[in-house]
Amino acid sequence: MRIHTCAGNLPADMLALCSRKKAIVIRADMKYACGRPRPHNWGDDLNYHLVRAISGRRVVVQNASFLDLLPVENYVCIGSVLEYKVNPQSVVWGTGVQYGIRPLAVRPRRITAVRGRLTHRFLTSQGIDCPATYGDPALLLPRFYRPDVRKAYRIGFVPHVCDLDNAGLRRYVETHADATIIDLAHYADWREVIDHICRCEVIVSSSLHGLIAADAYGVPNAWARFSDKVLGGDFKFLDYFSAVGRESEVVCIGDTVDMPALERALAAWRPIRYDDRPLFEACPFRE
């Protein structure tokens, strides 16, 4: 009998769950087809790659397959998705809320860690049991990947995927050979983004995971706002900063790049003082 492994992901996902070493089921804001992730937004895409690296097992994205209809245990990890990705079988590890305004419509089965203190406060105010273990799982990236690259750029801009069309940013990079744009939506391998960040002396990012990756690898960085298009506003940034002790200054960049303001923000950057062991030990699927 021929098994078609791509039709609606049904056979591929079923085979993964029925194998001797069962797949890990995650719920994430990702593009996923035929059993593979499709580059969409690097921060969200890390769910697949990091969970796979930690567990050593196959990863299935529940919200993109027939598994969405089944009451199976699943994990919600990276992203501001607590309000809309959690179901009654979800185990939460490291994720956060996007707005922190309305109570959760669905409560998860269990929480082992959350992204930051603001998410913790939001959950406990609703009587939801939530341990005081904080951190975005992307902070664990250096445990699994250490790039071997040399510095090639003075400054790297990491726009959120909704900011890729920023004209001022494009003009600056076109006229400065020591500057580059790191595209989180179009990449061939997830490690390329880390390589590119580490090739820069400093990072300026409107993407939360651009900042987190830079912090994790010790690259000086500044938080920038290129537009008002990033969903959730400042909440997720402040939530993450509360977990690692960062200041919350943001530099607004519109049609032109305000380098003096950026230089002041970069000069104020300090390496985060963060012990990743509690977050790692709270991971519910590590081996």
Side-chain angles (χ1 to χ4, degrees), residues 5-197:
T5 59
C6 194
N9 294 329
L10 289 172
D13 291 346
M14 179 63 82
L15 288 172
L17 288 177
C18 294
S19 66
R20 181 176 301 175
K21 202 172 186 181
K22 289 184 178 180
I24 290 181
V25 179
I26 63 172
R27 291 178 66 82
D29 194 2
M30 291 179 58
K31 298 289 186 183
Y32 180 81
C34 300
R36 294 184 179 182
R38 297 290 184 262
H40 170 60
N41 182 333
W42 185 76
D44 292 320
D45 301 344
L46 281 176
N47 279 286
Y48 180 91
H49 302 293
L50 187 57
V51 170
R52 193 176 178 188
I54 293 172
S55 68
R57 291 155 66 183
R58 178 168 178 174
V59 175
V60 174
V61 183
Q62 184 181 37
N63 51 294
S65 77
F66 86 106
L67 292 171
D68 196 29
L69 304 174
L70 298 179
V72 297
E73 183 174 77
N74 60 82
Y75 300 94
V76 182
C77 305
I78 298 175
S80 303
V81 296
L82 264 175
E83 287 108 327
Y84 63 96
K85 287 298 182 187
V86 164
N87 68 22
Q89 289 76 43
S90 295
V91 177
V92 170
W93 174 62
T95 193
V97 294
Q98 190 167 76
Y99 296 99
I101 299 173
R102 298 176 181 174
L104 290 186
V106 179
R107 296 191 175 203
R109 173 181 293 176
R110 183 162 59 101
I111 299 173
T112 68
V114 289
R115 181 177 56 206
R117 298 174 188 274
L118 303 188
T119 292
H120 181 269
R121 186 184 309 157
F122 170 78
L123 293 171
T124 54
S125 70
Q126 300 171 55
I128 298 174
D129 186 26
C130 180
T133 302
Y134 309 122
D136 189 293
L139 288 167
L140 301 175
L141 284 170
R143 285 177 174 259
F144 302 96
Y145 180 63
R146 286 282 185 179
D148 182 16
V149 297
R150 294 182 178 180
K151 299 298 182 183
Y153 300 97
R154 159 62 183 151
I155 186 168
F157 293 99
V158 188
H160 188 279
V161 292
C162 67
D163 289 328
L164 279 171
D165 60 352
N166 183 280
L169 209 55
R170 296 283 175 184
R171 281 195 299 270
Y172 185 89
V173 171
E174 288 170 359
T175 56
H176 293 76
D178 61 349
T180 185
I181 291 177
I182 300 170
D183 189 335
L184 301 184
H186 308 94
Y187 58 89
D189 185 290
W190 65 276
R191 288 160 291 206
E192 291 177 2
V193 173
I194 298 173
D195 291 350
H196 207 169
I197 287 173

Side-chain angles (χ1 to χ4, degrees), residues 217-240:
Y217 288 96
V219 181
N221 61 86
W223 174 27
R225 184 181 295 127
F226 299 135
S227 73
D228 59 0
K229 294 185 286 187
V230 178
L231 294 177
D234 295 346
F235 186 93
K236 63 183 178 181
F237 294 91
L238 301 179
D239 192 33
Y240 163 67

